[in-house]
Every structure is written in C-alpha cells, then in structure tokens.
Amino acid sequence: MVVSYASAVVVVATVASSTCAAFVVAPVSRSHRHHPVSVPASRRRAPSVRLAGAESSAESPLPPWDESLDPSASLLYMQFWKHQQSVLENELGARRVALPAKELEYAANERMGARIASACYETDDFRKIRMTYFDAGKKVQVFNSLWYPREELDAPVLGIDLLCFGEKKVLAVIDCQPLLPKGDREFRENTDKNFARIRANYPSLCGKMSNRYYDENTFFSDAMLFGRFDTHGPIEDEVLPAFREYMGAYLAMIRGTKPTDDRERVVGQQRAYDQYSAEHDPAHGLFVTYFGESWADEYVHDFLFDLSEKPARDEAAGAGVAADGPVVVSGQKIGRA
C-alpha cells in the first residue's frame, strides 16, 4: 500500500492479482488544508462500494474498530492505529483535517468483504499526517501511515507499512525516509545513526527490501525496519514495540530540527517524493480490484500522494476494470458493473 515498499508490493500483486492529483500544489504553508476536489459525475464501473454516511451502523465506519468484517479474523494492526491516534490527539495536539473528498474517507466492498478507512491530521510541525486501515478479514490486513514535516523543517518523512496477507505472509516496514540523496553526509551522520540503534535492538526487523519496484537508494534509509514473518505472533511481540520506539525517536528528531529559510527546496523534495511514490506504488492495483479505478486514481493522487500529478487517462479505455456489484455513493446507488 502506501509507503508500499518493493517486497510488500510483491505480496500485494500476488494476492490481489492486480498494499501504504491532476494538479501541481503550490508551496505548503502552516495554514495548509486539504481542499475539496470535484468528483467526476460519471464513474467507471466499480464494486459494491459503501461510503461514510451511506447507512447507519452500530459501529462507526471509521476506526478504531472493535472487530473485522470477518468475525473469525483479527484486526491485527488496530493497536497501531490506536497508539498513533493517541499520540496525535493527546500528546501532539493534532488537528483533524478533512480529506479532499468525503468518499475517500471510507469505502467498503461488501461483496468482497473489504473496507478501507483513512484519517488525516496536521500539527505545528507537520503539514500532513495520514493513516489508513484496510480490513479484508483473513485475506488482507494493512495499516499504513506517512508523516510529512512542514516546509520550514528540512527533515525526512516517516513511512509505516504493516501488511498481512493470509495466515503466513506478514510484512513490516518502518522507515525515516530521507528526502536528500542517500549518500548525503549530513543525513547519514546526524540522523541515520539514531534509528540504527533501534534497528539493532530488533534482529527480526533487520531485513533488506527487494529492488523489484523501488530503488533502495531513492528515499529509503539504511536504518529501515524491515521484517517478514510467517506467523502473527511477532506483530505484537516485536513490531509493536519497535513501532513505538521508532515513532518516539522520529518525533524527538523533529523537535530538534532547526527551521530552514529554503522552504521552496523542501516543498520540491516532498513533491518529488510524492511523484516517485505515486508512479511506483502498485497498491493502486489493489485499490482498483476492490473499489474501482476512478476511486483508486483519486485516492492515490488526491490523498495518499497529493503533491503528485495525475497522469492523463483515456476515460473510455479505463472503464469496466473492477469487480461486480452496484456502486453506492453517499447512500445512492448509481450503477452496476
């Protein structure tokens, strides 16, 4: 998904058979907000999609959730969502930010037994902190998050991708991702070593990602936490404490980062990161499979990587790419595949 590192992508592609905008965003300011975007009146045929507010439910459509859509499955990463939400709201005083379109906040494919929900925050130090949970029962569980510092802070982004496919394909990726070239001396000497200490404490998370989809020398650090597991046990025993430590170290680094006057360069680096990520992230195929191509395009370019430019697409050529079922938008059925 969306940090969606290479090895994670291999699993996504296998399971989904395809999981962390048509504009150029002006430099971000402290008053940055996600501005609403127009939703195309005619949509490509999509699976049965229910969006936030589409119907009443005893449980809120947005996380934290108490149980999976599949009662026999566990929400393996809900503790991660809850911890991060607590840090944001109780420690950082984060402000909730509306997504570009209401339909991107929550969608559910009831026929395929899947749902996806997202939240976005901002603080005085971060222009955007997004978090997403994808629940498809025992088939797929994903928690993804990305932290973007404000443009006056020349600092790495924090990327988190935690994925489980089936019973024996578990992947964890957490990285303080440099927006400078990997060989940049300043990043290596002043930042990387702090996270390397945490990495050394978790041997199971000292793996190396594949370069099948991503160039490891582009936007990835040597202190990345990367682990593959064939059981669920390490998620709580190893990944969760490592996640907490890494996030704590990242926030300490941000607090110690001195403002820069070269804001234009920082915005340019974040834009380059978003463009690279949007172009190389095969999670788009997973989203198409479950929620349709039009929704997937908007989600990737207008929310996940909103500084990226959406590629031109032939509307006629892109139709009819998703699974069967009626399309439901804000409670109104508008079509069928």
Side-chain angles (χ1 to χ4, degrees), residues 118-171:
S118 300
C120 191
Y121 292 85
E122 67 173 5
T123 73
D124 291 343
D125 289 328
F126 294 95
R127 70 168 182 87
K128 176 181 177 182
I129 303 165
R130 61 169 173 80
M131 48 198 291
T132 296
Y133 202 101
F134 186 101
D135 168 34
K138 293 182 178 179
K139 294 176 294 186
V140 184
Q141 292 287 315
V142 174
F143 173 70
N144 169 263
S145 182
L146 196 57
W147 300 54
Y148 293 86
R150 290 197 178 274
E151 75 277 11
E152 61 265 32
L153 297 178
D154 189 2
V157 298
L158 175 65
I160 301 160
D161 241 347
L162 309 174
L163 312 96
C164 180
F165 298 91
E167 296 293 326
K168 296 185 176 182
K169 292 181 179 179
V170 179
L171 185 70

Short mmCIF file of all heavy atoms in Angstrom, two decimals, residues 118-171:
data_model
loop_
_atom_site.label_atom_id
_atom_site.label_comp_id
_atom_site.label_asym_id
_atom_site.label_seq_id
_atom_site.Cartn_x
_atom_site.Cartn_y
_atom_site.Cartn_z
N SER A 118 -9.61 6.06 6.25
CA SER A 118 -8.43 6.91 6.39
C SER A 118 -8.73 8.13 7.24
O SER A 118 -9.87 8.60 7.30
CB SER A 118 -7.92 7.37 5.01
OG SER A 118 -7.58 6.26 4.21
N ALA A 119 -7.69 8.64 7.87
CA ALA A 119 -7.78 9.87 8.65
C ALA A 119 -6.56 10.72 8.34
O ALA A 119 -5.51 10.21 7.95
CB ALA A 119 -7.86 9.57 10.14
N CYS A 120 -6.70 12.03 8.52
CA CYS A 120 -5.60 12.94 8.23
C CYS A 120 -5.53 14.00 9.33
O CYS A 120 -6.57 14.49 9.80
CB CYS A 120 -5.80 13.60 6.87
SG CYS A 120 -4.35 14.50 6.26
N TYR A 121 -4.31 14.35 9.74
CA TYR A 121 -4.09 15.32 10.80
C TYR A 121 -3.02 16.31 10.37
O TYR A 121 -2.26 16.08 9.43
CB TYR A 121 -3.60 14.63 12.07
CG TYR A 121 -4.60 13.73 12.76
CD1 TYR A 121 -4.77 12.40 12.35
CD2 TYR A 121 -5.35 14.18 13.84
CE1 TYR A 121 -5.67 11.57 13.00
CE2 TYR A 121 -6.25 13.35 14.49
CZ TYR A 121 -6.41 12.05 14.07
OH TYR A 121 -7.30 11.22 14.71
N GLU A 122 -2.93 17.42 11.12
CA GLU A 122 -1.84 18.36 10.99
C GLU A 122 -1.47 18.88 12.38
O GLU A 122 -2.29 18.87 13.31
CB GLU A 122 -2.21 19.53 10.08
CG GLU A 122 -3.29 20.43 10.65
CD GLU A 122 -3.52 21.67 9.80
OE1 GLU A 122 -2.91 21.79 8.73
OE2 GLU A 122 -4.33 22.53 10.24
N THR A 123 -0.21 19.29 12.54
CA THR A 123 0.25 19.90 13.78
C THR A 123 1.11 21.10 13.42
O THR A 123 1.31 21.41 12.24
CB THR A 123 1.08 18.91 14.63
OG1 THR A 123 2.37 18.74 14.02
CG2 THR A 123 0.40 17.56 14.77
N ASP A 124 1.67 21.75 14.42
CA ASP A 124 2.55 22.88 14.14
C ASP A 124 3.81 22.43 13.40
O ASP A 124 4.43 23.22 12.69
CB ASP A 124 2.95 23.58 15.44
CG ASP A 124 1.78 24.31 16.08
OD1 ASP A 124 0.77 24.54 15.39
OD2 ASP A 124 1.87 24.63 17.28
N ASP A 125 4.21 21.17 13.56
CA ASP A 125 5.43 20.66 12.92
C ASP A 125 5.16 19.83 11.67
O ASP A 125 6.09 19.58 10.90
CB ASP A 125 6.23 19.80 13.91
CG ASP A 125 6.86 20.62 15.02
OD1 ASP A 125 7.21 21.79 14.76
OD2 ASP A 125 7.01 20.10 16.13
N PHE A 126 3.93 19.38 11.48
CA PHE A 126 3.61 18.51 10.35
C PHE A 126 2.47 19.09 9.54
O PHE A 126 1.41 19.38 10.07
CB PHE A 126 3.24 17.11 10.83
CG PHE A 126 4.36 16.37 11.49
CD1 PHE A 126 4.51 16.38 12.88
CD2 PHE A 126 5.29 15.66 10.73
CE1 PHE A 126 5.56 15.72 13.49
CE2 PHE A 126 6.34 14.99 11.33
CZ PHE A 126 6.48 15.02 12.71
N ARG A 127 2.69 19.21 8.24
CA ARG A 127 1.63 19.71 7.38
C ARG A 127 0.60 18.63 7.11
O ARG A 127 -0.57 18.91 6.83
CB ARG A 127 2.20 20.22 6.04
CG ARG A 127 2.72 19.14 5.11
CD ARG A 127 2.98 19.67 3.70
NE ARG A 127 3.44 18.62 2.80
CZ ARG A 127 2.63 17.82 2.10
NH1 ARG A 127 1.32 17.95 2.21
NH2 ARG A 127 3.12 16.90 1.31
N LYS A 128 1.02 17.35 7.20
CA LYS A 128 0.10 16.26 6.88
C LYS A 128 0.59 14.97 7.55
O LYS A 128 1.75 14.60 7.42
CB LYS A 128 0.03 16.05 5.37
CG LYS A 128 -0.83 14.87 4.91
CD LYS A 128 -0.80 14.76 3.39
CE LYS A 128 -1.58 13.56 2.89
NZ LYS A 128 -1.52 13.42 1.41
N ILE A 129 -0.30 14.34 8.29
CA ILE A 129 -0.05 13.00 8.83
C ILE A 129 -1.26 12.16 8.44
O ILE A 129 -2.36 12.39 8.94
CB ILE A 129 0.10 13.03 10.37
CG1 ILE A 129 1.21 13.99 10.79
CG2 ILE A 129 0.38 11.62 10.89
CD1 ILE A 129 1.17 14.33 12.27
N ARG A 130 -1.06 11.25 7.57
CA ARG A 130 -2.19 10.42 7.12
C ARG A 130 -2.05 9.01 7.65
O ARG A 130 -0.94 8.51 7.84
CB ARG A 130 -2.29 10.43 5.60
CG ARG A 130 -1.09 9.87 4.85
CD ARG A 130 -1.44 9.68 3.38
NE ARG A 130 -0.31 9.30 2.55
CZ ARG A 130 0.17 8.08 2.45
NH1 ARG A 130 -0.32 7.11 3.19
NH2 ARG A 130 1.19 7.82 1.63
N MET A 131 -3.18 8.37 7.87
CA MET A 131 -3.18 7.00 8.35
C MET A 131 -4.37 6.26 7.73
O MET A 131 -5.45 6.82 7.58
CB MET A 131 -3.21 6.93 9.87
CG MET A 131 -4.24 7.81 10.53
SD MET A 131 -3.94 8.12 12.29
CE MET A 131 -4.23 6.51 13.01
N THR A 132 -4.13 5.00 7.37
CA THR A 132 -5.13 4.20 6.66
C THR A 132 -5.18 2.80 7.24
O THR A 132 -4.13 2.22 7.56
CB THR A 132 -4.80 4.13 5.16
OG1 THR A 132 -4.88 5.43 4.58
CG2 THR A 132 -5.74 3.19 4.42
N TYR A 133 -6.39 2.26 7.36
CA TYR A 133 -6.56 0.86 7.75
C TYR A 133 -7.39 0.16 6.67
O TYR A 133 -8.46 0.64 6.29
CB TYR A 133 -7.24 0.71 9.11
CG TYR A 133 -6.94 -0.64 9.74
CD1 TYR A 133 -6.00 -0.76 10.75
CD2 TYR A 133 -7.58 -1.80 9.29
CE1 TYR A 133 -5.69 -2.00 11.30
CE2 TYR A 133 -7.27 -3.04 9.83
CZ TYR A 133 -6.33 -3.14 10.83
OH TYR A 133 -6.01 -4.37 11.37
N PHE A 134 -6.87 -0.97 6.20
CA PHE A 134 -7.55 -1.80 5.19
C PHE A 134 -7.87 -3.13 5.85
O PHE A 134 -6.97 -3.84 6.32
CB PHE A 134 -6.63 -1.99 3.99
CG PHE A 134 -7.27 -2.71 2.83
CD1 PHE A 134 -7.74 -2.01 1.74
CD2 PHE A 134 -7.41 -4.09 2.83
CE1 PHE A 134 -8.33 -2.67 0.66
CE2 PHE A 134 -7.99 -4.75 1.77
CZ PHE A 134 -8.46 -4.04 0.68
N ASP A 135 -9.15 -3.47 5.89
CA ASP A 135 -9.62 -4.70 6.53
C ASP A 135 -10.36 -5.55 5.52
O ASP A 135 -11.41 -5.16 5.02
CB ASP A 135 -10.54 -4.35 7.71
CG ASP A 135 -11.31 -5.55 8.25
OD1 ASP A 135 -10.75 -6.67 8.24
OD2 ASP A 135 -12.46 -5.37 8.69
N ALA A 136 -9.79 -6.70 5.20
CA ALA A 136 -10.47 -7.67 4.34
C ALA A 136 -10.44 -9.04 5.01
O ALA A 136 -10.16 -10.07 4.39
CB ALA A 136 -9.83 -7.73 2.96
N GLY A 137 -10.69 -9.04 6.32
CA GLY A 137 -10.74 -10.29 7.06
C GLY A 137 -9.40 -11.00 7.07
O GLY A 137 -8.34 -10.38 7.21
N LYS A 138 -9.43 -12.30 6.91
CA LYS A 138 -8.21 -13.09 6.91
C LYS A 138 -7.40 -12.93 5.63
O LYS A 138 -6.23 -13.30 5.58
CB LYS A 138 -8.54 -14.57 7.13
CG LYS A 138 -9.10 -14.87 8.51
CD LYS A 138 -9.37 -16.36 8.68
CE LYS A 138 -9.87 -16.66 10.08
NZ LYS A 138 -10.16 -18.11 10.28
N LYS A 139 -8.02 -12.36 4.61
CA LYS A 139 -7.31 -12.20 3.33
C LYS A 139 -6.28 -11.08 3.40
O LYS A 139 -5.13 -11.25 2.96
CB LYS A 139 -8.31 -11.90 2.21
CG LYS A 139 -9.27 -13.02 1.89
CD LYS A 139 -10.28 -12.59 0.84
CE LYS A 139 -11.20 -11.51 1.40
NZ LYS A 139 -12.29 -11.15 0.46
N VAL A 140 -6.67 -9.93 3.96
CA VAL A 140 -5.77 -8.77 3.98
C VAL A 140 -6.02 -7.94 5.24
O VAL A 140 -7.17 -7.64 5.57
CB VAL A 140 -5.98 -7.86 2.74
CG1 VAL A 140 -4.96 -6.72 2.76
CG2 VAL A 140 -5.89 -8.64 1.45
N GLN A 141 -4.95 -7.57 5.91
CA GLN A 141 -4.97 -6.57 6.98
C GLN A 141 -3.79 -5.63 6.74
O GLN A 141 -2.66 -6.09 6.57
CB GLN A 141 -4.83 -7.23 8.36
CG GLN A 141 -6.01 -8.08 8.79
CD GLN A 141 -7.22 -7.25 9.16
OE1 GLN A 141 -7.11 -6.25 9.87
NE2 GLN A 141 -8.40 -7.65 8.67
N VAL A 142 -4.06 -4.34 6.72
CA VAL A 142 -3.00 -3.36 6.44
C VAL A 142 -3.18 -2.12 7.32
O VAL A 142 -4.29 -1.61 7.46
CB VAL A 142 -2.99 -2.93 4.96
CG1 VAL A 142 -1.98 -1.81 4.73
CG2 VAL A 142 -2.70 -4.10 4.03
N PHE A 143 -2.07 -1.66 7.89
CA PHE A 143 -2.03 -0.32 8.49
C PHE A 143 -0.91 0.44 7.79
O PHE A 143 0.21 -0.04 7.68
CB PHE A 143 -1.74 -0.37 9.99
CG PHE A 143 -1.53 0.99 10.60
CD1 PHE A 143 -2.58 1.88 10.73
CD2 PHE A 143 -0.26 1.40 11.00
CE1 PHE A 143 -2.39 3.15 11.28
CE2 PHE A 143 -0.06 2.67 11.56
CZ PHE A 143 -1.13 3.54 11.70
N ASN A 144 -1.24 1.63 7.34
CA ASN A 144 -0.27 2.44 6.61
C ASN A 144 -0.34 3.88 7.10
O ASN A 144 -1.41 4.40 7.39
CB ASN A 144 -0.57 2.40 5.11
CG ASN A 144 0.24 3.42 4.34
OD1 ASN A 144 -0.26 4.50 4.05
ND2 ASN A 144 1.47 3.11 4.02
N SER A 145 0.83 4.52 7.20
CA SER A 145 0.85 5.92 7.63
C SER A 145 2.06 6.62 7.05
O SER A 145 3.09 6.00 6.77
CB SER A 145 0.88 6.02 9.17
OG SER A 145 0.85 7.36 9.59
N LEU A 146 1.92 7.93 6.86
CA LEU A 146 3.02 8.75 6.36
C LEU A 146 2.95 10.12 7.02
O LEU A 146 1.88 10.74 7.07
CB LEU A 146 2.93 8.88 4.84
CG LEU A 146 4.18 9.36 4.10
CD1 LEU A 146 5.37 8.47 4.39
CD2 LEU A 146 3.93 9.39 2.60
N TRP A 147 4.10 10.57 7.53
CA TRP A 147 4.21 11.85 8.23
C TRP A 147 5.04 12.81 7.39
O TRP A 147 6.22 12.54 7.12
CB TRP A 147 4.88 11.66 9.59
CG TRP A 147 4.19 10.74 10.54
CD1 TRP A 147 3.80 9.46 10.34
CD2 TRP A 147 3.83 11.05 11.90
NE1 TRP A 147 3.21 8.94 11.46
CE2 TRP A 147 3.23 9.89 12.44
CE3 TRP A 147 3.98 12.18 12.71
CZ2 TRP A 147 2.77 9.84 13.76
CZ3 TRP A 147 3.52 12.12 14.02
CH2 TRP A 147 2.91 10.97 14.53
N TYR A 148 4.47 13.96 7.02
CA TYR A 148 5.17 14.99 6.25
C TYR A 148 5.44 16.21 7.13
O TYR A 148 4.50 16.90 7.54
CB TYR A 148 4.32 15.46 5.07
CG TYR A 148 4.06 14.48 3.97
CD1 TYR A 148 2.99 13.58 4.05
CD2 TYR A 148 4.83 14.47 2.81
CE1 TYR A 148 2.71 12.69 3.02
CE2 TYR A 148 4.56 13.59 1.77
CZ TYR A 148 3.50 12.70 1.88
OH TYR A 148 3.24 11.84 0.85
N PRO A 149 6.71 16.53 7.40
CA PRO A 149 7.01 17.76 8.13
C PRO A 149 6.60 19.00 7.32
O PRO A 149 6.48 18.94 6.09
CB PRO A 149 8.54 17.71 8.30
CG PRO A 149 8.88 16.26 8.16
CD PRO A 149 7.92 15.72 7.16
N ARG A 150 6.41 20.10 8.01
CA ARG A 150 6.09 21.35 7.32
C ARG A 150 7.31 21.84 6.53
O ARG A 150 8.43 21.42 6.77
CB ARG A 150 5.63 22.40 8.32
CG ARG A 150 4.26 22.08 8.90
CD ARG A 150 3.62 23.29 9.54
NE ARG A 150 2.29 22.96 10.04
CZ ARG A 150 1.18 23.00 9.30
NH1 ARG A 150 1.26 23.37 8.03
NH2 ARG A 150 0.01 22.70 9.82
N GLU A 151 7.07 22.76 5.63
CA GLU A 151 8.10 23.15 4.67
C GLU A 151 9.25 23.91 5.31
O GLU A 151 10.32 24.01 4.71
CB GLU A 151 7.49 23.98 3.53
CG GLU A 151 7.13 25.41 3.89
CD GLU A 151 5.78 25.52 4.56
OE1 GLU A 151 5.20 24.49 4.95
OE2 GLU A 151 5.29 26.67 4.71
N GLU A 152 9.07 24.43 6.53
CA GLU A 152 10.18 25.11 7.18
C GLU A 152 11.11 24.14 7.90
O GLU A 152 12.13 24.55 8.46
CB GLU A 152 9.67 26.17 8.16
CG GLU A 152 8.81 25.63 9.28
CD GLU A 152 7.33 25.71 8.96
OE1 GLU A 152 6.98 25.60 7.76
OE2 GLU A 152 6.54 25.90 9.89
N LEU A 153 10.78 22.85 7.88
CA LEU A 153 11.61 21.83 8.51
C LEU A 153 12.21 20.92 7.44
O LEU A 153 11.49 20.16 6.79
CB LEU A 153 10.79 21.00 9.51
CG LEU A 153 10.20 21.77 10.69
CD1 LEU A 153 9.37 20.83 11.57
CD2 LEU A 153 11.30 22.44 11.51
N ASP A 154 13.49 21.01 7.25
CA ASP A 154 14.18 20.18 6.27
C ASP A 154 14.47 18.84 6.93
O ASP A 154 15.55 18.60 7.46
CB ASP A 154 15.46 20.87 5.82
CG ASP A 154 16.12 20.16 4.64
OD1 ASP A 154 15.54 19.16 4.16
OD2 ASP A 154 17.21 20.59 4.22
N ALA A 155 13.48 17.95 6.89
CA ALA A 155 13.57 16.69 7.64
C ALA A 155 12.96 15.56 6.84
O ALA A 155 12.15 15.78 5.94
CB ALA A 155 12.85 16.84 8.98
N PRO A 156 13.34 14.31 7.17
CA PRO A 156 12.77 13.15 6.49
C PRO A 156 11.29 13.00 6.79
O PRO A 156 10.76 13.56 7.76
CB PRO A 156 13.57 11.98 7.08
CG PRO A 156 14.79 12.58 7.69
CD PRO A 156 14.37 13.95 8.14
N VAL A 157 10.61 12.21 5.97
CA VAL A 157 9.25 11.80 6.26
C VAL A 157 9.31 10.46 7.00
O VAL A 157 10.31 9.74 6.92
CB VAL A 157 8.40 11.65 4.98
CG1 VAL A 157 8.29 12.98 4.26
CG2 VAL A 157 8.98 10.58 4.05
N LEU A 158 8.27 10.15 7.74
CA LEU A 158 8.18 8.86 8.43
C LEU A 158 7.16 8.01 7.70
O LEU A 158 5.99 8.38 7.60
CB LEU A 158 7.77 9.05 9.89
CG LEU A 158 7.52 7.75 10.68
CD1 LEU A 158 8.81 6.94 10.81
CD2 LEU A 158 6.94 8.06 12.06
N GLY A 159 7.61 6.86 7.20
CA GLY A 159 6.72 5.96 6.49
C GLY A 159 6.52 4.66 7.25
O GLY A 159 7.48 4.08 7.78
N ILE A 160 5.28 4.21 7.30
CA ILE A 160 4.93 2.99 8.03
C ILE A 160 4.03 2.13 7.15
O ILE A 160 2.98 2.58 6.69
CB ILE A 160 4.18 3.32 9.35
CG1 ILE A 160 5.04 4.22 10.24
CG2 ILE A 160 3.77 2.05 10.08
CD1 ILE A 160 4.25 4.97 11.30
N ASP A 161 4.43 0.89 6.92
CA ASP A 161 3.63 -0.06 6.15
C ASP A 161 3.63 -1.39 6.88
O ASP A 161 4.68 -2.04 7.00
CB ASP A 161 4.23 -0.26 4.76
CG ASP A 161 3.27 0.15 3.65
OD1 ASP A 161 2.09 0.35 3.94
OD2 ASP A 161 3.71 0.24 2.49
N LEU A 162 2.49 -1.80 7.37
CA LEU A 162 2.34 -3.07 8.08
C LEU A 162 1.26 -3.87 7.36
O LEU A 162 0.11 -3.42 7.26
CB LEU A 162 1.95 -2.82 9.53
CG LEU A 162 2.85 -1.82 10.28
CD1 LEU A 162 2.29 -1.53 11.67
CD2 LEU A 162 4.28 -2.32 10.37
N LEU A 163 1.64 -5.04 6.87
CA LEU A 163 0.75 -5.79 6.00
C LEU A 163 0.70 -7.26 6.37
O LEU A 163 1.73 -7.84 6.75
CB LEU A 163 1.20 -5.68 4.53
CG LEU A 163 1.54 -4.29 3.99
CD1 LEU A 163 3.04 -4.03 4.07
CD2 LEU A 163 1.08 -4.14 2.55
N CYS A 164 -0.49 -7.85 6.26
CA CYS A 164 -0.64 -9.29 6.45
C CYS A 164 -1.59 -9.82 5.38
O CYS A 164 -2.70 -9.31 5.21
CB CYS A 164 -1.20 -9.60 7.84
SG CYS A 164 -1.42 -11.37 8.15
N PHE A 165 -1.14 -10.85 4.66
CA PHE A 165 -1.93 -11.48 3.63
C PHE A 165 -2.07 -12.96 3.96
O PHE A 165 -1.07 -13.68 3.99
CB PHE A 165 -1.28 -11.30 2.26
CG PHE A 165 -1.15 -9.85 1.86
CD1 PHE A 165 -0.01 -9.13 2.17
CD2 PHE A 165 -2.18 -9.20 1.21
CE1 PHE A 165 0.11 -7.80 1.82
CE2 PHE A 165 -2.08 -7.86 0.87
CZ PHE A 165 -0.93 -7.16 1.16
N GLY A 166 -3.28 -13.39 4.25
CA GLY A 166 -3.48 -14.77 4.65
C GLY A 166 -2.90 -15.01 6.04
O GLY A 166 -2.73 -14.10 6.84
N GLU A 167 -2.58 -16.25 6.30
CA GLU A 167 -2.09 -16.61 7.63
C GLU A 167 -0.58 -16.53 7.77
O GLU A 167 -0.05 -16.43 8.87
CB GLU A 167 -2.55 -18.05 7.96
CG GLU A 167 -4.05 -18.22 8.06
CD GLU A 167 -4.65 -17.48 9.25
OE1 GLU A 167 -3.98 -17.40 10.29
OE2 GLU A 167 -5.78 -16.99 9.13
N LYS A 168 0.16 -16.57 6.65
CA LYS A 168 1.60 -16.74 6.75
C LYS A 168 2.42 -15.72 5.97
O LYS A 168 3.60 -15.94 5.72
CB LYS A 168 1.98 -18.15 6.29
CG LYS A 168 1.41 -19.25 7.17
CD LYS A 168 1.91 -20.62 6.76
CE LYS A 168 1.40 -21.70 7.69
NZ LYS A 168 1.91 -23.04 7.33
N LYS A 169 1.80 -14.62 5.56
CA LYS A 169 2.55 -13.59 4.83
C LYS A 169 2.41 -12.27 5.58
O LYS A 169 1.44 -11.53 5.38
CB LYS A 169 2.04 -13.46 3.40
CG LYS A 169 2.33 -14.69 2.55
CD LYS A 169 1.83 -14.51 1.12
CE LYS A 169 2.15 -15.74 0.28
NZ LYS A 169 1.65 -15.59 -1.11
N VAL A 170 3.36 -12.01 6.44
CA VAL A 170 3.34 -10.81 7.27
C VAL A 170 4.58 -9.98 6.94
O VAL A 170 5.70 -10.50 6.89
CB VAL A 170 3.34 -11.18 8.77
CG1 VAL A 170 3.36 -9.91 9.63
CG2 VAL A 170 2.13 -12.05 9.11
N LEU A 171 4.37 -8.70 6.71
CA LEU A 171 5.47 -7.81 6.35
C LEU A 171 5.39 -6.53 7.16
O LEU A 171 4.30 -5.97 7.34
CB LEU A 171 5.41 -7.47 4.86
CG LEU A 171 6.57 -6.65 4.31
CD1 LEU A 171 7.84 -7.48 4.26
CD2 LEU A 171 6.24 -6.12 2.92
#
